[in-house]
Structures are given as C-alpha cells and as structure tokens.
Amino acid sequence: MTNETARRIVVLAGGVGGSKFAVGLRTLLARSEPMAAVTVIANTGDDLWLTGIRLQPDVDSLLYALAGVNDAERGWGRSGESERVSTELRAWNAGWPWFTLGDLDLGTHLARTGWLREGVGAVEIVRRLSARWPLGVEILPMTEAEVDTIVTVRDGDGKRTMHFQEWWTLHRARLEPIRFANPGIEMALPAPGVTEAIARADVVLVAPSNPVVSVGPILSVPGIRDALRDTGAPIVGISPIIGGAVVRGMADVCLAAVGAECSAAGVAAVYGARSAGGILDAWLVAEEDSATLPSIRALGIAARVAPLWMHDTDSSAQLAADALALATDVSGL
Amino acid sequence: MTNETARRIVVLAGGVGGSKFAVGLRTLLARSEPMAAVTVIANTGDDLWLTGIRLQPDVDSLLYALAGVNDAERGWGRSGESERVSTELRAWNAGWPWFTLGDLDLGTHLARTGWLREGVGAVEIVRRLSARWPLGVEILPMTEAEVDTIVTVRDGDGKRTMHFQEWWTLHRARLEPIRFANPGIEMALPAPGVTEAIARADVVLVAPSNPVVSVGPILSVPGIRDALRDTGAPIVGISPIIGGAVVRGMADVCLAAVGAECSAAGVAAVYGARSAGGILDAWLVAEEDSATLPSIRALGIAARVAPLWMHDTDSSAQLAADALALATDVSGL
C-alpha cells in the first residue's frame, strides 16, 4: 500500500479494553500497513479533580499502554509504581484514601494540571504527553470540556449522586445505578480534530469498551454522533461482552441501568444500526455468542464471529485484523 | 509559674532561621515554663503556585522542624525524602526543573491544594497540617491572602520582574534586586488570630530571619505594624547578621536593595525603634558585633550581646532564653 492510499483509522475507546485493542491494532499495522494513521478518540467521562489536580484516567491508560510503561499485570497505572505521596495524603486525611495515586502517575497529573492552569487546552496537553514516547498512534480526548460522569444510585427509598470514580472505585459499582449523566455535556464541543478525524476516516472502529460509561460519553458529545452518521467510512464495533458476560469492569450493571441486556446483541442494540439512526455498520462478536448473530442482523447490523479474548498483543492484533477485515467486507456491500 | 500567669509569646518568623529559633524556644519553655503558649506568625511571601499546586515553604519549614521530620542536614524539606514525582515532571518538561519538589513534601502541597480548592482558609489548613504531630507551638500564616513576593532585578539597561522563588532558587539571588514587592498586600488582611495574638502577647520576638523578604512581608500586611506598635508586650529582635555577615541565605543583597547596611545595626535600623515609629524595643546582637551597640542604642533600641549561633537545639534554646531575659529587662525599664 502506498502513502497516497494509507488508511486513516479512527478508534473510539475507553481505558483498559481500548488500550489493549489500540496496542493490538498498532502491532498489526506495523506489520501489514505501516503507513496507516490511527487516531484514538478517548473517553474523558471518568476524568476527575482530586486534591486540586486533574486526572484523565482513560487517556493515561492509553498513553501508558502504547508507551509500554503500563502495569500490565494490575491492568492500570504505571509499572514500577510507588505510593510515597499517596501515603502522605492518607496521613493528612486529604483526598480519597481508597483511590490509588501512584507517584509516577502523579507526575503526569501534575504536568497536566500545571498546563491547564496556564490555559493550555486538553488536546495540546495530550499532544505534549504523547510526545515523550513514540506511540505510533494519535490520542485525542473526546472534548476539552469538563464533563465528568455523575452516577445516580438508589439509596434506601431515595437516591443520591456521586462522581463516577467514587461509584466505580470505592463502591466497586455495587450500589445500584439509576442514571449516568455528564453534566454540561450538552454544551460541550468535540475536541479540535475529533469530528475532522471521523469525517476523513477510512475505517471507524468501536473498541471493546464499556458501552455506557466509556463509549457512551463519547457519543454524547454533541456533533460526534452526527459525524459518525455522516462519515463515508464503515463503522465496526467489537463486543465487550463475551459469552454473555463482561470481560472485566462492571458493564453489566451499567447496561442494566440503561435498560439493556448484558449480551453481545444487547450492546449492539444500545449502539444501534447506522441505517436506523445508530452508529454501527457491523459488529464483531465472540464465537461463544454466535447464537446472537440473528438478532444482531435483525437490527440491521452486519455481524460476524471472531475470537475476542485479548490475552496478549498477538491476540489483540488478530482481533484488530478481524475488525478491519469486517470493515472492508461491509464497505464492499 | 501557674496557669494564670502562663506567658503568651509571639514570634515573627521566616523559614529556616525561624524554625531553628522556634525549636529552641519550645525546648527552653518545656524545661522552664511548660504552660507558656507560643504563636509563630509565619511569612507567606515566598509561597508559590507550581504545576497547579500551592506551596507555602516557610510554614512547611516550621512545621517539619517542629515535628522533627525535617532534613536538618540540608536545611529544608523532609528527611528521608525522594523525588519520584519530580523526576517525572522533568521528563514531561513541566514545572521548574531547578526547583526540588520532594515526594513527602508534595503530599503536604497536595493536601493544602485540595483543601484550598474546597474553600478551606489558610489558617484552618495550617491547623490541620499542625494536628498531625504534637508541635507544642501554634503556627499562623501572616495572612490568608496570596501575596507572593515579586522581585524586580536589573537586566542590562532595563529591568525585569520574577517570582521570589525564581530569583532565590534558580538565580541564587545573583541578579541584582532593585525592589521587592508583594502585589495586593495593601488589600490583604492579617490572618484571623494574628493581630489578636500580638495584642494579648506578653512578649513578642522577631526571629533571626531575613528582614527584607521574610519578616518584611509580615510587617507589610496592613494592621500588623499597628498591632505591634499598640501591644503592651516588649518586642525583642534577634539579629540575623553575625560578625557583619549573613548567617545563611542572601540577606546581604536584600538589604542592599532596600538601601540598608549589612550589619546588626543596619537591620535594627530597618526595623526601627518602637519609640520612633518602628517595631523594636530591644535587639540582641552577636558578641562579634558588640562594636555596633552604641549605634543601635542611638536609634532608641535597647541592645545586648549574646551568642547568636544556633548550632544545635541547646544553643537555640539558650538564644531564646537570652531573648526572653532581654524582654523581661526592657519590660522593667
């Protein structure tokens, strides 16, 4: 493939599943299509202010994984991490004692916060962070606005709200969620470059991320759904549900909160067929879920089975290859 | 001495000299006058925002020294310190690469910043920080307002301004200062408790701190000079100049910038006699500077020689005893 025809691939992604998939995609392309350009549009719904500093967990997960400095065993954060500062914060009774804040990770947050306070935008900040290592992938935050996810949970006869991270990390998603919201998102703009990347993409992939709290916020930024509906590129998603169960994280309770079934077909229905006002042209499901193919196709979404487990970089790369092959096939339809 | 007559001692102090003196004073009082109450009014002119977080170096120096967790050898910061985060910040090209930011110290700054962002005032923040250890001394910031010291230096034929910490730490005070200013200080209020502490004090001591950039900002907060003029307590200062030279820090260039002589008498003249609109009743000078006694007395300030070197806690305690004895003597005049 020549430079002129180098493909532009856009990925919508959350943190952990998105990172594994992005690393697999990069590995695949390095072998087969080195001129291809990948833009990952990252969820920023789980961003937070903590002790006066700004954290952007999904962006950082992507950054660390693509840089190869992530803690693969733990599944998040930096490898070789320590908690000298965090231990002090606990001694001061400051911040969230249940929220792990590594020292190396904190360096990223402080750099980000300092730049934010200088008036630097979120895209430029991610660009600066990305410049430290040869990532081979462009990371774009979905928006430069602050649209932290707020969860409303049932509390006895009433309800109460909390930051997504409190619900997810402190309560391990055990409090029954009624609603997820991103206050202010209706006024937010897509980050500079986001809709442009979607418009000129040759392929758009939806990573196997949480459809409600990872990909959901991306789709809620005004303008992004429209860009997806209008792009000439095929849009292929990968199911985050395998064998009717969540791979990791707590997508099941999130799906229940939005009235969706925790199945490959249930998530496909949340996204919807592009032909019916949704965003998907095609959906890749696990071999274990082949029984769901008819109901997905009934939605107007092309569907195919493939091995979805991302055990290592090779299996992630193979998954990316299967997703790109499905994109090519639906383009030809 | 009974509880009823327990003395209230107020100390005006900068960071390093102030800390050694405060530790000495506490040690002395623990032996001789355990019911005495000490309030240290700390300079906040060298406070700064760095990568989005708030540092309050003089308060922290006092805190760490009184808690016994300071790095006595280095003269500032925490003992057993590391720089995991700071190393990351350098890798990100964020913040000030020349400014040492220890991990343990950073815990304090993050706790402070988080509380500030929650709307907690500076006095309450220092109270929370002080509650971690039995300090035996109350630390009060001079003001809750941000009045960071700005230095104007000569630059070729022109001049330029910078934050005090840039001048002090990066340039080691080698750029010739023309002026020190604390923008906004004319509108600042003394922190709650400051003028009250001075008003009801039995003794006020001015620690051997930099008269221009440590004690100077304290005296520039509107209301503090008036409180010092009005208090019934004797006010005794300790010269930060020994043998005509600065003990540490760079008080000499600071004094030159305000047109003062770098001598025990020169600093006394900067403070001035209370009887002549200044703040001092008495001034303790080093034995090496006994020749300056007549010119200090000519200002209307009682003066006496004493050993001023604070080599260890015992010598600091002895210095505190000498200052208190001088206070008692001038009270009896």
mmCIF file with all atom_site columns, all heavy atoms in Angstrom, chain A residues 94-108:
data_model
loop_
_atom_site.group_PDB
_atom_site.id
_atom_site.type_symbol
_atom_site.label_atom_id
_atom_site.label_alt_id
_atom_site.label_comp_id
_atom_site.label_asym_id
_atom_site.label_entity_id
_atom_site.label_seq_id
_atom_site.pdbx_PDB_ins_code
_atom_site.Cartn_x
_atom_site.Cartn_y
_atom_site.Cartn_z
_atom_site.occupancy
_atom_site.B_iso_or_equiv
_atom_site.pdbx_formal_charge
_atom_site.auth_seq_id
_atom_site.auth_comp_id
_atom_site.auth_asym_id
_atom_site.auth_atom_id
_atom_site.pdbx_PDB_model_num
ATOM 1   N N   . ALA A 1 94  ? -6.328  13.703 53.570 1.00 0.00 ? 94  ALA A N   1
ATOM 2   C CA  . ALA A 1 94  ? -6.697  14.519 52.409 1.00 0.00 ? 94  ALA A CA  1
ATOM 3   C C   . ALA A 1 94  ? -6.964  13.598 51.223 1.00 0.00 ? 94  ALA A C   1
ATOM 4   O O   . ALA A 1 94  ? -6.364  12.529 51.104 1.00 0.00 ? 94  ALA A O   1
ATOM 5   C CB  . ALA A 1 94  ? -5.574  15.499 52.073 1.00 0.00 ? 94  ALA A CB  1
ATOM 6   N N   . GLY A 1 95  ? -7.863  14.050 50.370 1.00 0.00 ? 95  GLY A N   1
ATOM 7   C CA  . GLY A 1 95  ? -8.145  13.278 49.166 1.00 0.00 ? 95  GLY A CA  1
ATOM 8   C C   . GLY A 1 95  ? -8.970  12.037 49.455 1.00 0.00 ? 95  GLY A C   1
ATOM 9   O O   . GLY A 1 95  ? -9.711  11.984 50.438 1.00 0.00 ? 95  GLY A O   1
ATOM 10  N N   . TRP A 1 96  ? -8.849  11.052 48.594 1.00 0.00 ? 96  TRP A N   1
ATOM 11  C CA  . TRP A 1 96  ? -9.616  9.822  48.707 1.00 0.00 ? 96  TRP A CA  1
ATOM 12  C C   . TRP A 1 96  ? -8.680  8.673  49.102 1.00 0.00 ? 96  TRP A C   1
ATOM 13  O O   . TRP A 1 96  ? -7.933  8.175  48.257 1.00 0.00 ? 96  TRP A O   1
ATOM 14  C CB  . TRP A 1 96  ? -10.256 9.483  47.353 1.00 0.00 ? 96  TRP A CB  1
ATOM 15  C CG  . TRP A 1 96  ? -11.426 10.340 46.982 1.00 0.00 ? 96  TRP A CG  1
ATOM 16  C CD1 . TRP A 1 96  ? -12.170 11.142 47.803 1.00 0.00 ? 96  TRP A CD1 1
ATOM 17  C CD2 . TRP A 1 96  ? -12.016 10.459 45.672 1.00 0.00 ? 96  TRP A CD2 1
ATOM 18  N NE1 . TRP A 1 96  ? -13.176 11.751 47.087 1.00 0.00 ? 96  TRP A NE1 1
ATOM 19  C CE2 . TRP A 1 96  ? -13.113 11.346 45.791 1.00 0.00 ? 96  TRP A CE2 1
ATOM 20  C CE3 . TRP A 1 96  ? -11.733 9.892  44.433 1.00 0.00 ? 96  TRP A CE3 1
ATOM 21  C CZ2 . TRP A 1 96  ? -13.916 11.696 44.699 1.00 0.00 ? 96  TRP A CZ2 1
ATOM 22  C CZ3 . TRP A 1 96  ? -12.527 10.238 43.353 1.00 0.00 ? 96  TRP A CZ3 1
ATOM 23  C CH2 . TRP A 1 96  ? -13.614 11.123 43.480 1.00 0.00 ? 96  TRP A CH2 1
ATOM 24  N N   . PRO A 1 97  ? -8.764  8.228  50.370 1.00 0.00 ? 97  PRO A N   1
ATOM 25  C CA  . PRO A 1 97  ? -7.826  7.177  50.799 1.00 0.00 ? 97  PRO A CA  1
ATOM 26  C C   . PRO A 1 97  ? -7.970  5.886  50.006 1.00 0.00 ? 97  PRO A C   1
ATOM 27  O O   . PRO A 1 97  ? -7.032  5.102  49.918 1.00 0.00 ? 97  PRO A O   1
ATOM 28  C CB  . PRO A 1 97  ? -8.186  6.971  52.282 1.00 0.00 ? 97  PRO A CB  1
ATOM 29  C CG  . PRO A 1 97  ? -9.545  7.567  52.455 1.00 0.00 ? 97  PRO A CG  1
ATOM 30  C CD  . PRO A 1 97  ? -9.660  8.664  51.441 1.00 0.00 ? 97  PRO A CD  1
ATOM 31  N N   . TRP A 1 98  ? -9.139  5.664  49.401 1.00 0.00 ? 98  TRP A N   1
ATOM 32  C CA  . TRP A 1 98  ? -9.397  4.428  48.660 1.00 0.00 ? 98  TRP A CA  1
ATOM 33  C C   . TRP A 1 98  ? -8.976  4.539  47.195 1.00 0.00 ? 98  TRP A C   1
ATOM 34  O O   . TRP A 1 98  ? -9.140  3.589  46.428 1.00 0.00 ? 98  TRP A O   1
ATOM 35  C CB  . TRP A 1 98  ? -10.890 4.087  48.739 1.00 0.00 ? 98  TRP A CB  1
ATOM 36  C CG  . TRP A 1 98  ? -11.779 5.283  48.563 1.00 0.00 ? 98  TRP A CG  1
ATOM 37  C CD1 . TRP A 1 98  ? -12.326 6.056  49.555 1.00 0.00 ? 98  TRP A CD1 1
ATOM 38  C CD2 . TRP A 1 98  ? -12.198 5.867  47.329 1.00 0.00 ? 98  TRP A CD2 1
ATOM 39  N NE1 . TRP A 1 98  ? -13.058 7.076  49.015 1.00 0.00 ? 98  TRP A NE1 1
ATOM 40  C CE2 . TRP A 1 98  ? -13.000 6.985  47.657 1.00 0.00 ? 98  TRP A CE2 1
ATOM 41  C CE3 . TRP A 1 98  ? -11.979 5.561  45.981 1.00 0.00 ? 98  TRP A CE3 1
ATOM 42  C CZ2 . TRP A 1 98  ? -13.579 7.802  46.682 1.00 0.00 ? 98  TRP A CZ2 1
ATOM 43  C CZ3 . TRP A 1 98  ? -12.561 6.375  45.016 1.00 0.00 ? 98  TRP A CZ3 1
ATOM 44  C CH2 . TRP A 1 98  ? -13.348 7.480  45.374 1.00 0.00 ? 98  TRP A CH2 1
ATOM 45  N N   . PHE A 1 99  ? -8.455  5.711  46.814 1.00 0.00 ? 99  PHE A N   1
ATOM 46  C CA  . PHE A 1 99  ? -8.098  5.904  45.409 1.00 0.00 ? 99  PHE A CA  1
ATOM 47  C C   . PHE A 1 99  ? -6.579  5.862  45.268 1.00 0.00 ? 99  PHE A C   1
ATOM 48  O O   . PHE A 1 99  ? -5.878  6.696  45.821 1.00 0.00 ? 99  PHE A O   1
ATOM 49  C CB  . PHE A 1 99  ? -8.632  7.251  44.924 1.00 0.00 ? 99  PHE A CB  1
ATOM 50  C CG  . PHE A 1 99  ? -8.632  7.396  43.420 1.00 0.00 ? 99  PHE A CG  1
ATOM 51  C CD1 . PHE A 1 99  ? -9.691  6.927  42.672 1.00 0.00 ? 99  PHE A CD1 1
ATOM 52  C CD2 . PHE A 1 99  ? -7.566  7.990  42.771 1.00 0.00 ? 99  PHE A CD2 1
ATOM 53  C CE1 . PHE A 1 99  ? -9.697  7.056  41.287 1.00 0.00 ? 99  PHE A CE1 1
ATOM 54  C CE2 . PHE A 1 99  ? -7.561  8.121  41.390 1.00 0.00 ? 99  PHE A CE2 1
ATOM 55  C CZ  . PHE A 1 99  ? -8.634  7.657  40.651 1.00 0.00 ? 99  PHE A CZ  1
ATOM 56  N N   . THR A 1 100 ? -6.085  4.866  44.560 1.00 0.00 ? 100 THR A N   1
ATOM 57  C CA  . THR A 1 100 ? -4.644  4.713  44.423 1.00 0.00 ? 100 THR A CA  1
ATOM 58  C C   . THR A 1 100 ? -4.077  5.782  43.497 1.00 0.00 ? 100 THR A C   1
ATOM 59  O O   . THR A 1 100 ? -4.553  5.958  42.381 1.00 0.00 ? 100 THR A O   1
ATOM 60  C CB  . THR A 1 100 ? -4.321  3.328  43.838 1.00 0.00 ? 100 THR A CB  1
ATOM 61  O OG1 . THR A 1 100 ? -4.921  2.360  44.674 1.00 0.00 ? 100 THR A OG1 1
ATOM 62  C CG2 . THR A 1 100 ? -2.821  3.110  43.795 1.00 0.00 ? 100 THR A CG2 1
ATOM 63  N N   . LEU A 1 101 ? -3.074  6.463  43.998 1.00 0.00 ? 101 LEU A N   1
ATOM 64  C CA  . LEU A 1 101 ? -2.468  7.551  43.250 1.00 0.00 ? 101 LEU A CA  1
ATOM 65  C C   . LEU A 1 101 ? -0.966  7.296  43.270 1.00 0.00 ? 101 LEU A C   1
ATOM 66  O O   . LEU A 1 101 ? -0.293  7.597  44.250 1.00 0.00 ? 101 LEU A O   1
ATOM 67  C CB  . LEU A 1 101 ? -2.827  8.860  43.970 1.00 0.00 ? 101 LEU A CB  1
ATOM 68  C CG  . LEU A 1 101 ? -2.872  10.165 43.229 1.00 0.00 ? 101 LEU A CG  1
ATOM 69  C CD1 . LEU A 1 101 ? -3.805  10.101 42.037 1.00 0.00 ? 101 LEU A CD1 1
ATOM 70  C CD2 . LEU A 1 101 ? -3.345  11.254 44.186 1.00 0.00 ? 101 LEU A CD2 1
ATOM 71  N N   . GLY A 1 102 ? -0.456  6.706  42.205 1.00 0.00 ? 102 GLY A N   1
ATOM 72  C CA  . GLY A 1 102 ? 0.964   6.382  42.162 1.00 0.00 ? 102 GLY A CA  1
ATOM 73  C C   . GLY A 1 102 ? 1.828   7.616  41.948 1.00 0.00 ? 102 GLY A C   1
ATOM 74  O O   . GLY A 1 102 ? 1.368   8.617  41.405 1.00 0.00 ? 102 GLY A O   1
ATOM 75  N N   . ASP A 1 103 ? 3.069   7.526  42.382 1.00 0.00 ? 103 ASP A N   1
ATOM 76  C CA  . ASP A 1 103 ? 3.976   8.671  42.267 1.00 0.00 ? 103 ASP A CA  1
ATOM 77  C C   . ASP A 1 103 ? 4.288   9.002  40.804 1.00 0.00 ? 103 ASP A C   1
ATOM 78  O O   . ASP A 1 103 ? 4.282   10.171 40.417 1.00 0.00 ? 103 ASP A O   1
ATOM 79  C CB  . ASP A 1 103 ? 5.282   8.387  43.014 1.00 0.00 ? 103 ASP A CB  1
ATOM 80  C CG  . ASP A 1 103 ? 5.059   8.215  44.513 1.00 0.00 ? 103 ASP A CG  1
ATOM 81  O OD1 . ASP A 1 103 ? 4.178   8.904  45.064 1.00 0.00 ? 103 ASP A OD1 1
ATOM 82  O OD2 . ASP A 1 103 ? 5.758   7.390  45.114 1.00 0.00 ? 103 ASP A OD2 1
ATOM 83  N N   . LEU A 1 104 ? 4.571   7.964  40.001 1.00 0.00 ? 104 LEU A N   1
ATOM 84  C CA  . LEU A 1 104 ? 4.898   8.219  38.590 1.00 0.00 ? 104 LEU A CA  1
ATOM 85  C C   . LEU A 1 104 ? 3.669   8.784  37.873 1.00 0.00 ? 104 LEU A C   1
ATOM 86  O O   . LEU A 1 104 ? 3.756   9.735  37.096 1.00 0.00 ? 104 LEU A O   1
ATOM 87  C CB  . LEU A 1 104 ? 5.357   6.932  37.904 1.00 0.00 ? 104 LEU A CB  1
ATOM 88  C CG  . LEU A 1 104 ? 6.587   6.254  38.522 1.00 0.00 ? 104 LEU A CG  1
ATOM 89  C CD1 . LEU A 1 104 ? 6.908   4.955  37.789 1.00 0.00 ? 104 LEU A CD1 1
ATOM 90  C CD2 . LEU A 1 104 ? 7.788   7.181  38.500 1.00 0.00 ? 104 LEU A CD2 1
ATOM 91  N N   . ASP A 1 105 ? 2.527   8.189  38.174 1.00 0.00 ? 105 ASP A N   1
ATOM 92  C CA  . ASP A 1 105 ? 1.262   8.637  37.607 1.00 0.00 ? 105 ASP A CA  1
ATOM 93  C C   . ASP A 1 105 ? 0.989   10.088 38.010 1.00 0.00 ? 105 ASP A C   1
ATOM 94  O O   . ASP A 1 105 ? 0.541   10.909 37.200 1.00 0.00 ? 105 ASP A O   1
ATOM 95  C CB  . ASP A 1 105 ? 0.155   7.718  38.139 1.00 0.00 ? 105 ASP A CB  1
ATOM 96  C CG  . ASP A 1 105 ? -1.120  7.780  37.314 1.00 0.00 ? 105 ASP A CG  1
ATOM 97  O OD1 . ASP A 1 105 ? -1.057  8.103  36.118 1.00 0.00 ? 105 ASP A OD1 1
ATOM 98  O OD2 . ASP A 1 105 ? -2.185  7.493  37.880 1.00 0.00 ? 105 ASP A OD2 1
ATOM 99  N N   . LEU A 1 106 ? 1.296   10.402 39.249 1.00 0.00 ? 106 LEU A N   1
ATOM 100 C CA  . LEU A 1 106 ? 1.091   11.752 39.763 1.00 0.00 ? 106 LEU A CA  1
ATOM 101 C C   . LEU A 1 106 ? 1.900   12.778 38.964 1.00 0.00 ? 106 LEU A C   1
ATOM 102 O O   . LEU A 1 106 ? 1.455   13.923 38.776 1.00 0.00 ? 106 LEU A O   1
ATOM 103 C CB  . LEU A 1 106 ? 1.515   11.768 41.235 1.00 0.00 ? 106 LEU A CB  1
ATOM 104 C CG  . LEU A 1 106 ? 0.943   12.787 42.180 1.00 0.00 ? 106 LEU A CG  1
ATOM 105 C CD1 . LEU A 1 106 ? -0.563  12.968 42.021 1.00 0.00 ? 106 LEU A CD1 1
ATOM 106 C CD2 . LEU A 1 106 ? 1.265   12.356 43.602 1.00 0.00 ? 106 LEU A CD2 1
ATOM 107 N N   . GLY A 1 107 ? 3.071   12.359 38.511 1.00 0.00 ? 107 GLY A N   1
ATOM 108 C CA  . GLY A 1 107 ? 3.852   13.269 37.671 1.00 0.00 ? 107 GLY A CA  1
ATOM 109 C C   . GLY A 1 107 ? 3.055   13.707 36.453 1.00 0.00 ? 107 GLY A C   1
ATOM 110 O O   . GLY A 1 107 ? 3.055   14.888 36.076 1.00 0.00 ? 107 GLY A O   1
ATOM 111 N N   . THR A 1 108 ? 2.353   12.749 35.841 1.00 0.00 ? 108 THR A N   1
ATOM 112 C CA  . THR A 1 108 ? 1.504   13.067 34.683 1.00 0.00 ? 108 THR A CA  1
ATOM 113 C C   . THR A 1 108 ? 0.397   14.047 35.081 1.00 0.00 ? 108 THR A C   1
ATOM 114 O O   . THR A 1 108 ? 0.145   15.025 34.379 1.00 0.00 ? 108 THR A O   1
ATOM 115 C CB  . THR A 1 108 ? 0.854   11.772 34.144 1.00 0.00 ? 108 THR A CB  1
ATOM 116 O OG1 . THR A 1 108 ? 1.855   10.760 34.021 1.00 0.00 ? 108 THR A OG1 1
ATOM 117 C CG2 . THR A 1 108 ? 0.188   12.012 32.795 1.00 0.00 ? 108 THR A CG2 1
#
